[in-house]
């Protein structure tokens, strides 16, 4: 059985000369929830746009369930649903009219029962006769999801579905995504919230400057991302670390006045309490301490460095 | 063939007509009635007959053509420009629909609306003046060809326009003057000889002339030439639309 999505050597250079995608290779299995992480301008939206036929590729191929995305565009596109990042909705249409329009556009006959189910699943049923412009931003996002689901796609792209939505709605959106995944839909989610990937993804890909620099199981990545550091400013500089502290992941700054302890904040035990008493016993005093965690930006930078 | 897609686009565009009923249907009828009052009654009372036809009846084909052209252009250009402007065009472009199907949906709806207005004006005109249609089949042919051709032209403008100003530019500054100077309200034979020759470079002359011939059997230029010119415009518009989709001009980067 061919994978949900097979991307080979996909490149896109815009007319301006900007290289948005550089030889991207990526395979996404059926039923998977794949989170594509990357800073703004990394190429996430361009990648989705090329796959969905909104932007022309400069080179490379995409196959959706084994179907070539331009040569067999009818079959390939029929399998894809796209929820764009921007809230691009009709203003004057009603919710049910716009969702029915999407289904027809994808070549399917009317199916009121199916549309009713989709609208109910997304808590839009009560609003079915409301004009879209009267809905809140969160509801409009749901309308976009309903439109994308109207033709029962097998592969769903969610381009930053929770950008600019409040915390409660984000939780709601995650529930929606989980239900979709449970129904067997392959989901590709782009985001720059690490938390979002952590909540839901099976695998995570990191894209930067148009290149996929890492694809990893989420759990493995989270371990990397979960690392935290405790920095101690020492009263008296140390020449070297005492033997009693050899069991800790400690580094001493060159001047000997700063001690850095790296630990796993996700772990069962951080080891901080034990370290503190060891330090006291060894007679090492400190006048200040701070903890720090890598920001997502920094994690990206580190990942880029590691991959080179 | 994705017939559901054609129907979805067509129905969507037609729904816009019913939603904006006044703007779409009522206002062209009112403005045309005003033309009748001004040109037909006020001025027409001083012009007895043109080629044996009362002036009021003489201007009917020109008036219908005027509405057909402007309606086709504005419906089609707005119909495709608006989704480009709001961004909802993404859905149409990523759907499993061919370019042909997309054009049939949009242009078909725009032409339908324009023809609807044309028919309403024809019926309205019948209340004001006595008129006849000598060649009904030819009349329908010119009617449909013009609506389709100018809807295609409008579609092109809607794709080309980068903003609302450009969207209005061609209809207001090029097509409206050409229509008024194209013999909608007079026979070009009323003009001095030099201007008659100049007028022959105005494509609208051929549309109005052929259409008027189907009503009264009289024309400024031969009906065969009118039909040929109409088909040339149709072919040119089709060619440009085909090129737009082939290159993705203003649709795909």
């Amino acid at each position: 059985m061919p994978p949900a999505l097979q991307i080979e050597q996909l490149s896109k250079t815009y007319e301006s000369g900007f290289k948005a995608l550089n030889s991207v290779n990526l395979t996404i299995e059926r039923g998977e929830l794949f989170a594509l992480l990357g800073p703004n301008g990394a190429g996430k939206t361009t990648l989705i746009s090329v796959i969905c036929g909104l932007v022309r590729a400069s080179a490379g191929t995409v196959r959706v369930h084994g179907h070539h995305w331009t040569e067999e565009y009818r079959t390939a596109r029929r399998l894809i649903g796209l929820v764009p990042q921007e809230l691009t909705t009709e203003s004057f249409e009603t919710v049910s009219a716009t969702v029915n329009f999407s289904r027809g556009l994808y070549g399917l006959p009317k199916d009121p029962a199916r549309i009713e189910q989709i609208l109910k699943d997304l808590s839009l049923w009560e609003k079915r006769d409301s004009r879209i412009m009267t809905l809140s931003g969160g509801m409009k996002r749901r309308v976009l999801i309903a439109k994308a689901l109207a033709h029962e796609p097998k592969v769903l792209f969610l381009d930053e579905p929770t950008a600019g939505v409040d915390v409660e709605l984000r939780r709601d959106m995650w529930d929606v995504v989980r239900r979709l995944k449970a129904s067997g839909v392959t989901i590709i989610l782009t985001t720059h919230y690490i938390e979002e990937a952590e909540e839901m993804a099976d695998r995570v890909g990191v894209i930067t400057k148009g290149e996929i620099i890492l694809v990893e199981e989420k759990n493995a990545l989270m371990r990397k991302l979960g690392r935290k550091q405790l920095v101690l400013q020492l009263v008296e500089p140390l020449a070297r670390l005492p033997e009693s502290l050899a069991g800790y992941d400690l580094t001493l700054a060159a001047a000997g006045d700063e001690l850095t302890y790296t630990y796993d904040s996700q772990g069962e035990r951080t080891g901080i309490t034990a370290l503190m008493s060891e330090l006291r016993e060894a007679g090492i005093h400190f006048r200040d301490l701070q903890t720090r965690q890598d920001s997502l930006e920094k994690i990206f930078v580190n990942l880029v460095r590691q991959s080179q | 063939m994705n017939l559901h897609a054609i129907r979805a686009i067509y129905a969507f565009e037609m729904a816009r007509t019913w939603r904006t009923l006044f703007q779409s249907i009522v206002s062209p009828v009112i403005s045309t009635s005003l033309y009748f009052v001004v040109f037909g009654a006020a001025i027409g009372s001083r012009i007895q007959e043109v080629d044996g036809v009362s002036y009021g009846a003489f201007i009917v084909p020109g008036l219908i053509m005027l509405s057909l052209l402007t309606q086709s252009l504005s419906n089609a250009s707005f119909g495709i420009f608006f989704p480009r402007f709001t961004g909802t065009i993404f859905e149409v472009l990523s759907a499993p629909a061919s370019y042909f199907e997309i054009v049939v949906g949009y242009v078909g709806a725009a032409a339908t609306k324009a023809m609807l207005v044309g028919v309403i004006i024809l019926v309205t005109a019948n209340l004001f003046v006595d008129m006849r249609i000598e060649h009904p089949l030819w009349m329908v042919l010119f009617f449909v060809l013009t609506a389709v051709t100018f809807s295609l032209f409008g579609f092109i403008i809607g794709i080309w326009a980068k903003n609302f100003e450009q969207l209005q530019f061609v209809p207001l500054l090029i097509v409206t003057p050409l229509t008024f100077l194209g013999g909608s309200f007079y026979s070009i034979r009323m003009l001095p000889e030099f201007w008659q020759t100049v007028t022959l470079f105005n494509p609208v002359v051929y549309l109005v002339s052929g259409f008027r011939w189907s009503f009264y059997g009289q024309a400024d230029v031969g009906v065969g030439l009118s039909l040929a010119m109409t088909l040339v415009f149709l072919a040119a518009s089709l060619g440009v639309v085909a090129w737009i989709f082939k290159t993705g001009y203003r649709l795909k980067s």
Side-chain angles (χ1 to χ4, degrees):
Chain A
M1 202 162 62
L5 204 60
Q6 193 167 16
I7 302 167
E8 283 173 350
Q9 304 287 322
L10 198 66
S11 294
K12 173 64 188 179
T13 307
Y14 285 103
E15 266 176 42
S16 61
F18 176 66
K19 204 167 176 83
L21 293 177
N22 191 4
S23 218
V24 169
N25 290 296
L26 182 63
T27 302
I28 291 166
E29 297 303 330
R30 294 189 188 196
E32 189 175 20
L33 202 162
F34 188 89
L36 189 60
L37 294 172
N40 289 328
K44 300 188 295 280
T45 301
T46 299
L47 179 62
I48 290 181
S49 300
V50 170
I51 297 168
C52 294
L54 297 170
V55 169
R56 288 155 190 262
S58 305
T61 56
V62 178
R63 284 176 192 281
V64 188
H65 281 211
H67 300 284
H68 193 278
W69 95 128
T70 53
E71 285 163 20
E72 301 171 80
Y73 76 96
R74 284 190 199 265
T75 324
R77 289 185 185 182
R78 174 69 190 73
L79 294 164
I80 295 178
L82 167 63
V83 182
Q85 188 176 342
E86 304 284 331
L87 283 176
T88 49
T89 50
E90 298 291 337
S91 298
F92 304 103
E93 285 289 309
T94 64
V95 171
S96 68
T98 195
V99 176
N100 277 307
F101 169 75
S102 299
R103 187 175 169 88
L105 201 57
Y106 275 76
L108 294 183
K110 281 192 169 31
D111 186 346
R114 180 82 205 177
I115 298 296
E116 182 178 338
Q117 191 56 51
I118 290 169
L119 292 180
K120 280 182 173 165
D121 284 349
L122 290 163
S123 314
L124 283 170
W125 183 243
E126 305 298 318
K127 299 277 184 187
R128 63 189 179 279
D129 295 322
S130 304
R131 288 191 176 190
I132 297 167
M133 63 180 177
T134 64
L135 302 180
S136 67
M139 282 305 214
K140 282 181 185 159
R141 179 76 64 188
R142 284 160 187 266
V143 171
L144 283 173
I145 297 178
K147 280 165 77 68
L149 294 176
H151 65 281
E152 303 158 46
K154 299 281 179 274
V155 180
L156 184 68
F157 289 94
L158 291 164
D159 196 359
E160 309 225 358
T162 56
V165 303
D166 63 40
V167 181
E168 196 180 345
L169 188 68
R170 193 180 302 169
R171 297 271 161 197
D172 265 16
M173 209 60 79
W174 289 349
D175 284 340
V176 169
V177 173
R178 278 197 203 93
R179 283 205 302 272
L180 285 171
K181 180 178 153 58
S183 72
V185 176
T186 307
I187 296 167
I188 295 104
L189 175 89
T190 74
T191 182
H192 52 243
Y193 298 119
I194 201 82
E195 194 191 356
E196 200 153 271
E198 184 180 350
E199 273 288 319
M200 296 191 292
D202 298 317
R203 276 198 308 158
V204 173
V206 176
I207 184 169
T208 181
K209 292 182 180 144
E211 289 184 48
I212 301 243
I213 53 163
L214 171 121
V215 174
E216 201 160 42
E217 293 290 324
K218 180 196 58 188
N219 294 337
L221 187 63
M222 289 323 294
R223 275 195 292 280
K224 278 187 197 168
L225 304 188
R227 286 152 69 88
K228 216 169 165 183
Q229 289 183 319
L230 172 67
V231 181
L232 302 169
Q233 312 280 335
L234 304 182
V235 178
E236 298 284 334
L238 285 178
R240 59 190 239 345
L241 283 170
E243 286 296 318
S244 59
L245 297 175
Y248 295 92
D249 184 359
L250 285 170
T251 44
L252 190 62
D257 58 350
E258 197 179 275
L259 199 57
T260 305
Y261 172 53
T262 306
Y263 62 98
D264 182 4
S265 65
Q266 311 274 310
E268 208 170 301
R269 289 209 177 120
T270 57
I272 292 173
T273 321
L275 175 67
M276 290 297 163
S277 48
E278 294 273 6
L279 284 173
R280 196 171 333 120
E281 276 175 30
I284 299 170
H285 300 284
F286 51 89
R287 74 187 120 119
D288 199 3
L289 83 171
Q290 63 179 109
T291 63
R292 64 185 179 209
Q293 185 164 29
D294 286 353
S295 68
L296 189 55
E297 285 292 329
K298 196 168 175 209
I299 290 162
F300 281 137
V301 172
N302 288 342
L303 287 171
V304 175
R305 285 208 190 111
Q306 282 168 24
S307 74
Q308 280 167 350
Chain B
M1 185 72 112
N2 186 348
L3 289 175
H4 289 292
I6 297 177
R7 197 165 63 186
I9 295 173
Y10 184 87
F12 181 89
E13 286 297 297
M14 291 309 288
R16 201 156 53 80
T17 310
W18 309 129
R19 213 165 43 222
T20 53
L21 191 67
F22 191 83
Q23 188 197 326
S24 304
I25 307 264
V26 181
S27 69
V29 172
I30 291 176
S31 61
T32 311
S33 302
L34 288 174
Y35 280 122
F36 269 115
V37 173
V38 176
F39 288 101
I43 297 175
S45 62
R46 289 163 185 269
I47 303 172
Q48 292 307 312
E49 284 189 340
V50 184
D51 299 334
V53 181
S54 79
Y55 185 70
F58 177 83
I59 63 169
V60 172
L63 269 180
I64 295 174
M65 254 319 154
L66 177 67
S67 296
L68 205 56
L69 293 183
T70 50
Q71 285 293 312
S72 299
L73 278 181
S74 67
N75 290 336
S77 59
F78 193 78
I80 190 71
F81 177 79
F82 202 63
R84 277 182 61 220
F85 179 74
T86 59
T88 53
I89 189 78
F90 86 87
E91 198 181 13
V92 175
L93 293 176
S94 60
S98 69
Y99 298 140
F100 177 76
E101 289 151 4
I102 294 171
V103 171
V104 170
Y106 278 108
V107 169
T112 306
K113 275 189 264 180
M115 290 192 285
L116 216 56
V117 173
V119 168
I120 293 172
I121 290 169
L122 185 66
V123 173
T124 314
N126 211 19
L127 302 175
F128 285 90
V129 291
D130 282 331
M131 48 178 231
R132 59 179 195 273
I133 301 173
E134 285 188 7
H135 309 284
L137 284 180
W138 280 89
M139 181 258 176
V140 171
L141 182 69
F142 276 115
F143 192 66
V144 173
L145 278 181
T146 306
V148 170
T149 303
F150 277 78
S151 294
L152 281 168
F153 187 30
F155 188 85
I156 295 165
I157 293 168
I159 298 260
W160 163 79
K162 281 184 179 165
N163 48 49
F164 280 97
E165 198 185 0
Q166 290 190 344
L167 190 67
Q168 299 290 346
F169 178 80
V170 176
L172 280 180
L173 292 178
I174 299 176
V175 177
T176 307
L178 284 181
T179 314
F180 274 88
L181 299 173
S184 295
F185 301 110
Y186 54 86
S187 164
I188 62 169
R189 272 172 287 167
M190 293 170 164
L191 297 173
E193 204 165 315
F194 171 73
W195 290 106
Q196 283 192 35
T197 316
V198 171
T199 301
L200 291 178
F201 289 96
N202 179 353
V204 179
V205 166
Y206 302 92
L207 302 172
V208 173
S209 174
F211 197 53
R212 188 176 288 133
W213 175 85
S214 70
F215 277 72
Y216 306 120
Q218 290 153 357
D220 291 334
V221 294
V223 65
L225 182 60
S226 285
L227 182 63
M229 292 301 274
T230 310
L231 291 174
V232 167
F233 302 141
L234 177 64
S237 299
L238 279 174
V240 175
V241 169
W243 174 83
I244 283 172
F245 281 121
K246 191 157 176 273
T247 58
Y249 174 74
R250 301 245 161 119
L251 286 175
K252 288 188 187 185
S253 44

